[in-house]
Amino acid sequence: MATSGTVSFDLNIDEIIEEGYERCNIRTNSGYDLKTARRSLNLLFSDWGNRGIHLWKVTLKEQLLSAGVATYNAPSDCNDILEAYVSTGSGIGASITDVSLSKIDRSTYAALPNKGSTGQPSQYYVNRQTTPTITLYVAPDASTYTYVKYYYIGRIEDAGAYTNQADVVYRFLPAMCAGLAYYLAMKKAPQLVQQNKLIYEDELKRALDEDGQRASVFISPQTFYGDGV
């Protein structure tokens, strides 16, 4: 039996909107229908930012360090920083050494002494403002470790033009269409809200469960060594 031989299926924004309306048994007939659906789609993407880590939006950023400077702006699309490490150079190579940093919260950072002292950083704090920042402790002296590299979660791009494709990987297409149908039902077909919500949450759970890293996890207690007293 012949198959297509392709794996390129995707949906344009207008096709996503059409699918959402069809699931609400509504035919789009005005420019405002398209506009309100696109707004709902952007709100759906914002909600996904609260639903967990989406692997296709995890990006590695390399930041050149300046001696004595502890705080650096993250990219404008950054939602949060997952992991960070200091490095002796840019990229990956046999001569480059990386040292992992521990993530701390605001209270822990506030309690740290001598924030202006310099040396080899061992911790980092993320200030999640409109434009997030990453702060290293201690401030780098930039003599050996000249870069901080970190993986951050980026925001899903806006829907934009109706001819665009959504900034969503194929495995989340069913959840995206179901989510838009649910959002549209709240505005256009209230009798279908509960039905579409159940379908959406089911589709999204499956997508989030699948969107993980298949690797073993080992948890070890942190060990502290006293002064022998």
Side-chain angles (χ1 to χ4, degrees), residues 63 65 69-74 78-86 100-112 115 121-140 148-152:
Q63 173 67 57
L65 297 175
V69 178
T71 300
Y72 301 85
N73 286 332
C78 175
N79 185 34
D80 194 9
I81 294 174
L82 302 174
E83 300 166 304
Y85 51 96
V86 288
S100 179
L101 303 178
S102 299
K103 188 174 185 178
I104 58 176
D105 60 19
R106 182 181 63 249
S107 297
T108 303
Y109 177 74
L112 292 172
K115 296 180 179 63
S122 60
Q123 299 171 309
Y124 72 99
Y125 156 59
V126 180
N127 190 357
R128 297 182 65 187
Q129 302 300 313
T130 302
T131 299
T133 61
I134 180 172
T135 299
L136 306 180
Y137 181 82
V138 289
V148 61
K149 303 175 183 178
Y150 54 85
Y151 289 97
Y152 73 92

Side-chain angles (χ1 to χ4, degrees), residues 90-202:
S90 176
I92 299 174
S95 62
I96 294 176
T97 301
D98 302 325
V99 175
S100 179
L101 303 178
S102 299
K103 188 174 185 178
I104 58 176
D105 60 19
R106 182 181 63 249
S107 297
T108 303
Y109 177 74
L112 292 172
N114 303 322
K115 296 180 179 63
S117 60
T118 60
Q120 179 183 321
S122 60
Q123 299 171 309
Y124 72 99
Y125 156 59
V126 180
N127 190 357
R128 297 182 65 187
Q129 302 300 313
T130 302
T131 299
T133 61
I134 180 172
T135 299
L136 306 180
Y137 181 82
V138 289
D141 57 20
S143 58
T144 302
Y145 294 94
T146 55
Y147 280 84
V148 61
K149 303 175 183 178
Y150 54 85
Y151 289 97
Y152 73 92
I153 312 172
R155 288 180 50 180
I156 298 176
E157 295 178 13
D158 302 337
Y162 298 110
T163 54
N164 290 341
Q165 291 179 333
D167 181 28
V168 174
V169 293
Y170 79 96
R171 57 186 177 272
F172 272 76
L173 292 180
M176 177 176 56
C177 292
L180 180 58
Y182 165 51
Y183 276 42
L184 291 175
M186 288 191 285
K187 296 189 285 188
K188 301 282 189 176
Q191 73 279 7
L192 296 176
V193 167
Q194 289 302 316
Q195 170 185 308
N196 285 350
K197 180 180 181 180
L198 290 173
I199 295 172
Y200 166 54
E201 294 293 346
D202 186 53

